[in-house]
């Protein structure tokens, strides 16, 4: 019902836009455009609205057919159901689901369910309640596929699983969607570890299932290791090789994305949809055929993936457009000291030399926004797992939304002050304590 209302509202917006723009469209003549390259019925504003609507739908709800993997191969739906409902094990109740970072979209719930939740009349310790939430399509980033008998037959995931959260306006973990925000509560490893059969993952990695489970348990909340399925490197010494889930907002205007700059937004969408979500599509990257750098990818043919039915490629353009349209959220006015932030801006652009790489207003470099580990004073472990052996200059807008888990790709700096102290020491800036404090407040204000 909520999605139907959304479609109706979108239709009203399109009609209104057409009414406003129609006079301008009607006034376009052949002489106004060269060789009819911009015909009278071409309207980029209307096209943009359609792309955003379609891209949002894909981002929030499209599994790309990955239920064949998550349900078919891993049998994750059986672990969610539990033995009493036809699955295996104790099942996953809502309290457990929320504890591992899954979120519930309150706008997808009927009024009766919201009222029951508010009154404490829903059993949050019963896996049957989880199934009900899945039937309402209210679990952010997860879709349940049901039999006629009402039992789960499979489960799939969407982009929103990792790159959306909720505002907790109804209860912790329950609220209105926040697309593009990094879900730093999400324990991906613990969720995947619920699967009763990880043999397909073990086969890809060339290890046994117990080893896979050990690796998954090492990730922790807010982290995922996409490169594991390329190079098989699960640990950096005695630390997990997983990296923090980054936000998917504020991505417009600059080149390479992800912590180590594998490619553009649309490249990474194709990479993740095919190789990480295990959707059905097409993906090509000859760099992954390198058996030395990417032995797992080369062994499994990840450099050239072709599905009989491509459920991904037709969605990439609209998905890309929607993601670029998600702006970084402004910080609450009471979340930083305004006078200090104004002073900190001067430090950012002056004594601290931050703006030489984090160029305003993009806060990354226009062009090839990559640096070696030596240039930023850290180890090269994660950079060496990427095609270019470098780290991306991460954009800074919306930092306040993803402070949980720390900063940098692996959260090595727990606070912004520790980031500032690192550069002060590494670059020999000799900032005063006041300058450091002011700089931190400016970063919080972005």
């Amino acid at each position: 019902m909520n999605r139907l209302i959304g479609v109706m509202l979108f239709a009203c917006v399109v009609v209104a836009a057409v009414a406003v723009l129609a006079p301008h469209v009607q006034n376009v003549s052949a002489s106004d455009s060269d060789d009819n390259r911009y015909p009278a019925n071409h309207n980029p504003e209307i096209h943009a609205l359609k792309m955003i609507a379609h891209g949002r739908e894909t981002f929030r709800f499209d599994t790309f057919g990955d239920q064949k993997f998550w349900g078919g191969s891993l049998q994750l739906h059986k672990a969610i159901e539990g033995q009493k409902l036809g699955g295996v094990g104790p099942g996953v109740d809502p309290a457990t689901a929320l504890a591992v970072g899954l979120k519930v979209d309150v706008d997808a719930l009927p009024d009766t369910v919201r009222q029951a939740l508010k009154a404490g009349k829903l059993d949050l310790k019963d896996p049957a309640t989880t199934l009900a939430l899945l039937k309402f399509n209210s679990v952010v980033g997860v879709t349940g596929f049901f039999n006629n008998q009402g039992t789960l037959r499979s489960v799939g995931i969407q982009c929103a699983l990792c790159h959306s959260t909720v505002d907790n306006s109804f209860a912790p973990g329950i609220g209105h969607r926040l697309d593009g925000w990094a879900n730093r509560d999400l324990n991906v490893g613990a969720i995947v570890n619920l699967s009763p059969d990880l043999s397909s993952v073990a086969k890809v990695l060339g290890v046994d299932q117990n080893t896979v489970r050990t690796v998954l348990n090492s990730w922790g909340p807010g982290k995922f290791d996409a490169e594991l399925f390329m190079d098989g490197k699960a640990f950096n010494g005695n630390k997990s090789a997983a990296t923090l889930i980054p936000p998917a907002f504020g991505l417009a205007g600059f080149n390479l994305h992800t912590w180590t700059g594998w490619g553009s937004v649309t490249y990474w969408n194709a990479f993740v949809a095919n190789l990480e979500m295990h959707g059905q599509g097409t993906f090509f990257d000859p760099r992954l055929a390198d058996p030395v750098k990417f032995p797992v990818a080369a062994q499994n043919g990840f450099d050239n993936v072709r599905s009989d039915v491509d459920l991904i490629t037709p969605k990439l353009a609209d998905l890309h457009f929607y993601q670029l349209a998600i702006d970084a959220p402004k910080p609450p006015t009471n979340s930083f000291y305004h006078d200090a932030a104004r002073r900190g801006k001067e430090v950012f652009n002056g004594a601290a030399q931050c703006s030489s790489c984090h160029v305003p207003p993009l806060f990354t470099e226009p062009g090839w926004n990559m640096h070696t580990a030596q240039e930023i004073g850290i180890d090269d472990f994660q950079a060496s797992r990427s095609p270019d052996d470098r780290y991306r200059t991460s954009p800074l807008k919306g930092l306040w939304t993803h402070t949980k888990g720390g900063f940098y790709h692996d959260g090595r700096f727990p606070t912004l002050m520790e980031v500032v102290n690192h550069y002060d020491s590494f670059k020999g800036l000799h900032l005063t304590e006041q300058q450091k404090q002011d700089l931190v407040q400016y970063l919080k204000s972005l």
Side-chain angles (χ1 to χ4, degrees):
M1 178 61 71
N2 286 315
R3 291 171 67 182
L4 176 60
I5 293 173
V7 171
M8 293 173 65
L9 288 174
F10 169 71
C12 292
V13 171
V14 171
V15 170
V18 170
V20 171
L21 295 168
H24 303 285
V25 175
Q26 292 170 356
N27 288 333
V28 175
S29 64
S31 61
D32 293 325
S33 59
D34 293 335
D35 305 321
N36 284 330
R37 283 179 294 175
Y38 301 100
N41 63 352
H42 176 76
N43 194 306
E45 288 84 358
I46 298 299
H47 183 57
L49 285 172
K50 290 180 179 178
M51 289 187 74
I52 288 174
H54 295 157
R56 180 189 290 115
E57 186 78 4
T58 297
F59 183 86
R60 291 182 174 182
F61 302 113
D62 208 312
T63 65
F64 307 116
D66 66 22
Q67 60 269 22
K68 287 190 175 182
F69 175 76
W70 298 100
S73 297
L74 300 194
Q75 301 288 295
L76 186 57
H77 63 291
K78 291 185 177 180
I80 294 172
E81 277 187 317
Q83 187 174 7
K84 290 182 179 179
L85 297 174
V88 298
V92 178
D93 57 57
T96 300
L98 292 170
V100 295
L102 291 171
K103 307 296 181 181
V104 175
D105 177 7
V106 70
D107 296 312
L109 299 176
D111 287 339
T112 53
V113 175
R114 286 198 292 265
Q115 292 168 8
L117 266 174
K118 188 174 294 186
K121 294 181 179 179
L122 275 187
D123 188 355
L124 300 183
K125 290 292 187 178
D126 187 351
T129 307
T130 302
L131 298 193
L133 293 174
L134 285 170
K135 287 178 180 178
F136 296 133
N137 209 19
S138 65
V139 181
V140 175
V142 181
T143 294
F145 297 86
F146 289 85
N147 297 305
N148 292 334
Q149 296 79 14
T151 58
L152 271 176
R153 61 178 174 83
S154 192
V155 67
I157 64 172
Q158 295 96 32
C159 305
L161 177 66
C162 293
H163 300 292
S164 287
T165 185
V166 296
D167 61 7
N168 301 320
S169 57
F170 189 88
I174 306 174
H176 307 294
R177 283 178 181 261
L178 297 171
D179 282 354
W181 291 42
N183 186 350
R184 293 285 175 86
D185 297 320
L186 188 69
N187 195 328
V188 180
I191 293 170
V192 178
N193 225 351
L194 293 171
S195 300
D197 184 3
L198 289 173
S199 59
S200 59
V201 178
K203 183 179 179 180
V204 167
L205 295 174
V207 298
D208 57 54
Q209 290 194 53
N210 287 335
T211 300
V212 172
R213 295 187 187 280
T214 298
V215 172
L216 292 173
N217 282 330
S218 73
W219 290 358
K223 288 189 174 182
F224 177 72
D225 190 359
E227 285 79 8
L228 173 66
F229 303 99
M230 305 301 117
D231 61 15
K233 297 177 181 178
F235 294 94
N236 177 13
N238 60 357
K239 294 173 57 179
S240 171
T243 58
L244 287 167
I245 296 171
F249 54 57
L251 301 180
F254 58 92
N255 183 24
L256 298 176
H257 295 272
T258 76
W259 298 116
T260 50
W262 279 69
S264 66
V265 174
T266 195
Y267 168 91
W268 197 247
N269 286 339
F271 179 104
V272 171
N274 283 280
L275 304 185
E276 307 294 338
M277 293 170 65
H278 298 274
Q280 301 174 56
T282 303
F283 180 77
F284 179 72
D285 186 346
R287 298 175 299 180
L288 297 181
D290 184 343
V292 176
K293 194 175 186 68
F294 303 115
V296 176
Q299 177 68 30
N300 289 277
F302 291 163
D303 60 298
N304 192 356
V305 174
R306 310 280 168 166
S307 298
D308 292 337
V309 178
D310 192 335
L311 301 178
I312 297 173
T313 306
K315 311 288 180 60
L316 289 176
D318 291 343
L319 176 61
H320 185 203
F321 198 81
Y322 175 60
Q323 287 172 296
L324 297 186
I326 307 175
D327 198 9
K330 302 293 185 184
T333 57
N334 61 351
S335 65
F336 62 94
Y337 296 105
H338 292 249
D339 289 341
R342 281 189 285 270
R343 295 192 301 268
K345 182 177 181 179
E346 296 181 6
V347 178
F348 184 92
N349 293 319
Q353 305 172 19
C354 305
S355 61
S356 62
C357 296
H358 297 278
V359 182
L362 293 178
F363 294 99
T364 187
E365 291 104 339
W368 198 58
N369 50 336
M370 303 294 291
H371 292 275
T372 65
Q374 292 75 19
E375 290 177 292
I376 57 179
I378 64 172
D379 66 89
D380 68 349
F381 172 78
Q382 203 66 36
S384 69
R385 304 178 75 191
S386 69
D388 289 323
D389 300 311
R390 284 168 169 78
Y391 292 106
R392 177 195 66 161
T393 301
S394 297
L396 302 178
K397 286 184 177 180
L399 275 177
W400 65 278
T401 68
H402 53 97
T403 58
K404 182 179 290 187
F407 299 93
Y408 271 49
H409 57 281
D410 54 4
R412 66 181 59 201
F413 300 118
T415 66
L416 286 170
M417 180 56 76
E418 292 187 60
V419 176
V420 171
N421 282 333
H422 165 71
Y423 280 106
D424 183 56
S425 174
F426 174 65
K427 291 184 173 290
L429 301 174
H430 306 295
L431 298 176
T432 67
E433 288 304 311
Q434 185 64 60
Q435 286 176 314
K436 292 179 183 179
Q437 294 287 350
D438 291 345
L439 180 54
V440 166
Q441 292 305 309
Y442 176 62
L443 294 173
K444 289 181 177 181
S445 75
L446 296 175

